[in-house]
């Protein structure tokens, strides 16, 4: 029998976290965007102020997956929540309920700290993930379109504030 454990990440997990994020970026065909270093992840998860958190899933003591998140705030609920930025389960550990266990822990922790939402994005072609989320009862927000400013566009707009 295999033992699954979900725990908060520790500083020693940073190389594994960075490796799993790069694996996810490659799976999503976005490896060219994955620039975070071990030092970047360490600062975000364990620095002051803490900017992100991470859960580690282990099977028989071996890292099998992660859920990297940060906090959000809903003005409509007047409550904070969590945004799941990255979820990764190593291919050889898939189909064992690890992703669902990570989501369950995120949900429990969100509610325990008084939060009102757990949200995330999924690529429209990632049908295995979408099926998992549908099975959990996740709502698809079809009327919302995610937008972002990054790189040169972010820097250009920021100059207007000077």
């Amino acid at each position: 029998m295999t033992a699954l454990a979900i725990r908060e990440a520790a500083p020693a997990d940073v190389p594994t976290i960075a490796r799993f994020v790069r694996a996810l970026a490659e799976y999503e065909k976005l490896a060219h965007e994955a620039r975070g270093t071990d030092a970047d992840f360490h600062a975000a998860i364990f620095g002051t102020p803490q900017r992100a958190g991470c859960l580690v899933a282990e099977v028989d003591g071996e890292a099998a997956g992660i859920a990297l998140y940060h906090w959000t705030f809903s003005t409509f609920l007047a409550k904070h929540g969590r945004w799941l930025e990255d979820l990764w389960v190593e291919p050889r550990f898939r189909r064992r309920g690890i992703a669902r266990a990570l989501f369950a822990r995120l949900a429990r922790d969100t509610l325990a700290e008084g939060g009102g939402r757990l949200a995330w994005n999924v690529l429209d072609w990632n049908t295995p993930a979408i099926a998992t989320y549908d099975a959990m009862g996740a709502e698809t927000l079809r009327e919302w379109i995610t937008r972002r400013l990054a790189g040169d566009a972010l820097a250009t707009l920021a100059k207007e504030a000077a």
Side-chain angles (χ1 to χ4, degrees), residues 136-157:
M136 291 187 313
E139 176 185 7
T140 300
L141 302 176
R142 298 195 189 282
E143 66 277 11
W144 293 91
I145 299 172
T146 302
R147 303 296 304 259
R148 78 173 163 202
L149 284 170
D152 291 343
L154 180 63
T156 299
L157 185 60

Side-chain angles (χ1 to χ4, degrees), residues 43-115:
I45 299 168
F46 302 105
T48 303
Q50 181 183 13
R51 300 291 187 192
C54 188
L55 298 176
V56 176
E58 294 180 326
V59 174
D60 295 330
E62 182 180 352
I66 60 165
L68 202 148
Y69 60 89
H70 57 86
W71 293 270
T72 61
F73 186 79
S74 166
T75 56
F76 290 1
L77 297 177
K79 291 184 174 197
H80 72 283
R82 288 188 184 199
W83 181 270
L84 176 61
E85 187 64 30
D86 289 334
L87 181 102
W88 179 254
V89 176
E90 284 284 87
R92 66 190 178 95
F93 291 109
R94 291 181 186 160
R95 307 271 184 254
R96 299 187 194 185
I98 295 171
R100 188 177 180 102
L102 284 163
F103 269 101
R105 172 67 184 269
L106 283 167
R108 185 193 79 184
D109 292 354
T110 300
L111 290 174
E113 62 188 22

